[in-house]
Amino acid sequence: MTRQRLLDATVDCLAELGWTGTTVAVVAERAGMSRGAAQHHFRTRMDLLSAVVDEIIDVRLAEMRRIAETTARPDTEAVLDHLAGLYSGRLFRAFLHVWVAASVDEQLRAQVVPLEARLGREAHRLAVELLGADESLPGVREAVQATLDLARGLGLAAVLTDDSARRAGVLHRWARTLDATLGQPASSQ
């Protein structure tokens, strides 16, 4: 319970304060405990941040599994909305700060790259499943990957401003393009 409170507080701090603002002392205060109590669970800042990266990945993977299990074959636009949702919100914002920090920190990069690759594989698998995509067809694998890259890009665009109206239009248009590529009936126009 205490460990989970620390991880949740770390995600909140990363999302709100960024990498440099997320210290053990700040996280402990946010979790309502002393720094010593926090360090009982995580000796160093890197231990805490490494654990939160694992936590973020695990939560994202659980979200993906939930989407796959609870979503009856929706139309392409609804699938795109689900996938774009993976790249928005508090967890995405927190992971984005970690991702940027890992670009200049070798130790952190060594931890983040394999986890990001795992998340990418699972997101791709989920997209294929939800879209009913046949990757043996020419161009389909690339179209699925482009879909995930588009969703991530839209998530990045929304970090600074509310980009939901433009996002909806882009996803609508991409759904029609994707349906043509996948050889499926077009989503509602």
Side-chain angles (χ1 to χ4, degrees):
M1 181 68 111
T2 300
R3 182 178 177 4
Q4 190 60 51
R5 273 190 14 232
L6 286 166
L7 293 173
D8 290 342
T10 304
V11 169
D12 289 342
C13 288
L14 281 167
E16 294 170 23
L17 306 172
W19 179 258
T20 56
T22 303
T23 65
V24 173
V26 169
V27 169
E29 182 179 333
R30 174 75 58 104
M33 61 184 67
S34 70
R35 180 184 171 129
Q39 287 182 309
H40 172 74
H41 292 277
F42 302 101
R43 262 187 351 91
T44 66
R45 178 177 185 251
M46 189 54 80
D47 291 342
L48 174 63
L49 294 170
S50 295
V52 89
V53 168
D54 284 334
E55 172 78 3
I56 290 170
I57 296 294
D58 289 344
V59 168
R60 297 312 259 192
L61 291 174
E63 286 175 2
M64 288 181 202
R65 287 185 206 102
R66 183 190 52 75
I67 289 168
E69 291 167 1
T70 61
T71 305
R73 181 77 175 93
D75 69 14
T76 303
E77 201 163 337
V79 170
L80 294 180
D81 196 50
H82 282 305
L83 294 173
L86 293 173
Y87 300 100
S88 63
R90 166 182 158 270
L91 282 174
F92 175 70
R93 184 180 291 272
F95 194 67
L96 181 59
H97 286 288
V98 172
W99 208 38
V100 170
S103 72
V104 295
D105 182 319
E106 290 292 328
Q107 181 184 3
L108 184 60
R109 183 180 311 138
Q111 292 179 297
V112 170
V113 167
L115 293 171
E116 173 66 21
R118 181 173 145 224
L119 182 62
R121 284 190 306 275
E122 288 298 314
H124 189 94
R125 186 196 58 72
L126 172 69
V128 166
E129 181 180 332
L130 291 176
L131 291 166
D134 180 356
E135 290 190 298
S136 69
L137 298 173
V140 169
R141 181 169 183 69
E142 294 80 3
V144 170
Q145 192 55 53
T147 299
L148 294 170
D149 292 343
L150 172 67
R152 183 182 296 123
L154 290 171
L156 288 171
V159 167
L160 297 177
T161 61
D162 179 5
D163 201 30
S164 54
R166 188 180 73 82
R167 176 184 125 164
V170 169
L171 291 177
H172 176 75
R173 182 66 188 151
W174 183 247
R176 293 170 61 196
T177 302
L178 194 54
D179 282 337
T181 302
L182 299 177
Q184 297 176 356
S187 295
S188 60
Q189 308 291 321

